[in-house]
Amino acid sequence: MAKETNKALRNLVIYSVYVRNHSEEGTFAGVEKDLDRIKDLGTDIIWLMPVYPIGKKNRKGSLGCPYAIADYRGVNPEYGTREDLEHLAEEIHKRGMKLMMDIVYNHTSPDSWLSRNMPDFFYKKADGSFGNKTGDWGDVIDLDYRNRDLWEYQIETLCQWAKIADGYRCDVAPLVPVEFWIEARKAVEKVKPGFIWLAETVEPCFIRDNRRLGQVGQSDGEMYQAFDMEYDYDIWGFRDQYLEGKISLDMYVQILNQQHIAFPDNYVKMRCLENHDQRRAKAAVPNESDLLNWTAFMFFQQGSALIYGGQETENNHTPSLFDIDKVDWNTGKDISPLLKKLAEIKKKEIMAYGTYQLYADDLTDTVIGTYEMGEDRLIGVFALKSQAANIKVDLEDGEYTNLIDGSKVTVKSERMKTEGKPVILEI
């Protein structure tokens, strides 16, 4: 576990921006115009998906994937200049938010600056040509971290960007040796103390396949040596199995509880319902009331919370990575007030440091969650299928206030009527 990791990172709200499709302009300046609204949601960190030049060889779509990077030290001219990026960073900082940049160190585009100037930095197939160690990602070629000169170049690049950034989200981080990330973290910390590291850890099947092929396939536990936060892909598939009716809510909750004790005490997961690689939450949970319960439950879970641009207007389409495919800001829906309130609750100290436990009521598909810290308690009740229910809770009889909407909730004989809406109580 990264020894410096602070549990307070569990209080953070991260907002993910794909510059190309976030605004009509598709530029850094276009994002800048939206900063006040993003900040008002309770955002602490803005994560910009890759902002670097995109390769042309084997390009997917009309504009290419931002994860097929041509130059780690350049800026995509589609978005603006380096000066425009630095100005955006300044404006983010002026509003009390942090900037997280996307780092893609497993691969580059086939025509990248590195492939042309440092070919020894790359993995070679049996015939000596560039290629991929795992999978068939046709628009990228893999780097080879057995070359220590590559380490030096990559770490130097990280130290350069750390002058304007406050954190890194690291793409498919388990495919790059954790020893590299440990060394990189130490170097960046000297440039900017308190830097935040988020790993896109991968699904269990991906780890298993990599190991079967004799490639680097590191577990979440291993990656915590270098990273502060990780994706919750280790349990993501179980959520989908529950949504598809393949497992019970009780089994899903048991898995979530097991995750909580599988890692060191100061572990931090980034919780999300959607991201640029996954279907939108609205597509996964089309029922409006169910979606609100799932959203509140996601924020309630211990760990930081991610909002992917467009989630607040219930977009049900994930924008293409390869083309102009704008976020729809005029869906007729807007759950910003809910997100803002949940972000406010997320900042409570008990959500970072309290003892956390989940329970399931299988009959009504309701999750009950608790935090305890000293004499303080926080209780959440989430009807994932919007069923009104009389839920058993460990509370004295009386009237309580729902922190989400200010409504009154009555407990009688250790039973609370939920009306199918999300409830969070502070005791």
Side-chain angles (χ1 to χ4, degrees):
M1 188 72 183
K3 298 187 188 314
E4 300 83 4
T5 297
N6 191 328
K7 289 183 180 181
L9 295 177
R10 295 168 174 169
N11 295 127
L12 298 180
V13 174
I14 303 170
Y15 189 97
S16 175
V17 172
Y18 184 13
V19 176
R20 176 187 290 162
N21 289 322
H22 187 82
S23 67
E24 283 304 310
E25 301 94 330
T27 62
F28 297 128
V31 175
E32 201 170 299
K33 292 178 182 178
D34 200 26
L35 290 181
D36 289 332
R37 184 194 66 84
I38 294 173
K39 169 67 175 178
D40 191 56
L41 291 173
T43 301
D44 302 290
I45 297 177
I46 291 182
W47 153 29
L48 296 180
M49 288 169 58
V51 297
Y52 320 99
I54 296 171
K56 295 181 179 179
K57 186 176 181 180
N58 297 343
R59 174 177 281 189
K60 292 183 178 180
S62 60
L63 294 173
C65 178
Y67 291 90
I69 295 169
D71 182 2
Y72 287 128
R73 299 184 179 183
V75 170
N76 187 347
E78 175 191 347
Y79 298 164
T81 64
R82 185 185 179 99
E83 290 71 27
D84 293 331
L85 174 59
E86 290 175 352
H87 192 267
L88 173 59
E90 290 173 5
E91 292 300 313
I92 289 171
H93 292 145
K94 281 181 183 178
R95 289 162 175 80
M97 295 183 288
K98 295 182 183 295
L99 169 62
M100 178 173 281
M101 292 181 66
D102 213 322
I103 299 300
V104 188
Y105 269 10
N106 178 65
H107 48 257
T108 75
S109 68
D111 54 352
S112 66
W113 186 91
L114 280 181
S115 70
R116 287 181 283 110
N117 292 275
M118 304 289 185
D120 290 344
F121 285 2
F122 287 83
Y123 163 78
K124 305 294 194 311
K125 295 188 292 186
D127 63 2
S129 63
F130 296 136
N132 308 114
K133 297 185 293 291
T134 305
D136 183 21
W137 297 339
D139 59 343
V140 295
I141 54 176
D142 285 3
L143 291 158
D144 186 351
Y145 280 84
R146 292 176 298 179
N147 188 326
R148 295 291 300 201
D149 290 337
L150 171 61
W151 290 38
E152 183 178 344
Y153 181 88
Q154 299 290 64
I155 290 173
E156 185 179 278
T157 304
L158 291 172
C159 289
Q160 289 179 13
W161 285 119
K163 295 174 182 177
I164 68 168
D166 309 286
Y168 290 138
R169 177 267 183 192
C170 299
D171 189 66
V172 289
L175 304 191
V176 175
V178 69
E179 293 80 9
F180 166 81
W181 294 119
I182 292 170
E183 189 167 317
R185 181 185 179 114
K186 291 177 181 177
V188 170
E189 189 68 15
K190 294 176 182 177
V191 176
K192 183 168 288 183
F195 210 80
I196 300 170
W197 293 79
L198 165 63
E200 184 202 21
T201 40
V202 297
E203 295 90 339
C205 62
F206 202 170
I207 297 172
R208 187 180 301 109
D209 288 346
N210 270 25
R211 291 178 176 178
R212 178 176 55 82
L213 294 169
Q215 308 295 349
V216 176
Q218 295 155 140
S219 67
D220 287 22
E222 290 171 286
M223 299 310 292
Y224 269 127
Q225 295 175 74
F227 287 89
D228 300 301
M229 292 188 284
E230 297 184 355
Y231 274 44
D232 62 356
Y233 278 167
D234 53 322
I235 51 86
W236 186 274
F238 297 105
R239 185 204 72 168
D240 285 349
Q241 287 184 48
Y242 167 67
L243 287 173
E244 295 163 7
K246 295 179 179 178
I247 62 173
S248 68
L249 179 61
D250 182 64
M251 180 174 290
Y252 177 49
V253 165
Q254 285 186 50
I255 291 164
L256 291 175
N257 282 330
Q258 181 65 30
Q259 181 198 46
H260 186 60
I261 61 171
F263 301 115
D265 183 55
N266 63 330
Y267 89 104
V268 184
K269 282 285 183 178
M270 183 188 73
R271 309 294 181 178
C272 66
L273 289 181
E274 61 180 57
N275 60 57
H276 68 270
D277 283 325
Q278 304 292 341
R279 58 180 172 167
R280 290 284 195 176
K282 182 66 173 177
V285 188
N287 179 276
E288 175 82 10
S289 181
D290 292 357
L291 180 60
L292 299 183
N293 274 281
W294 273 102
T295 301
F297 178 46
M298 183 269 284
F299 268 81
F300 186 85
Q301 291 181 65
Q302 195 161 73
S304 61
L306 176 71
I307 301 170
Y308 177 42
Q311 186 172 344
E312 59 270 54
T313 52
E314 294 188 18
N315 276 234
N316 61 11
H317 167 68
T318 303
S320 168
L321 287 176
F322 318 124
D323 303 285
I324 293 175
D325 189 9
K326 301 295 184 181
V327 171
D328 185 358
W329 298 109
N330 299 296
T331 60
K333 301 287 186 178
D334 186 4
I335 61 170
S336 295
L338 173 64
L339 295 175
K340 183 176 180 179
K341 177 56 67 173
L342 292 171
E344 180 183 312
I345 297 169
K346 181 60 113 175
K347 304 293 190 291
K348 291 183 178 294
E349 185 180 20
I350 194 171
M351 297 201 80
Y353 299 99
T355 302
Y356 170 67
Q357 180 77 33
L358 296 174
Y359 307 89
D361 185 323
D362 258 341
L363 292 177
T364 61
D365 286 277
T366 301
V367 175
I368 304 96
T370 63
Y371 286 89
E372 296 183 2
M373 188 173 69
E375 299 298 317
D376 300 326
R377 297 175 69 200
L378 202 65
I379 296 177
V381 180
F382 310 98
L384 300 184
K385 293 187 179 177
S386 303
Q387 292 189 53
N390 202 20
I391 296 296
K392 181 175 175 58
V393 290
D394 182 19
L395 288 173
E396 295 182 0
D397 287 4
E399 189 175 73
Y400 299 85
T401 300
N402 185 355
L403 295 181
I404 295 176
D405 60 9
S407 62
K408 299 301 179 182
V409 177
T410 300
V411 174
K412 186 175 181 180
S413 300
E414 295 187 327
R415 293 279 175 176
M416 180 179 73
K417 291 185 178 180
T418 64
E419 308 301 335
K421 297 178 180 180
V423 175
I424 300 177
L425 306 177
E426 189 172 36
I427 314 301

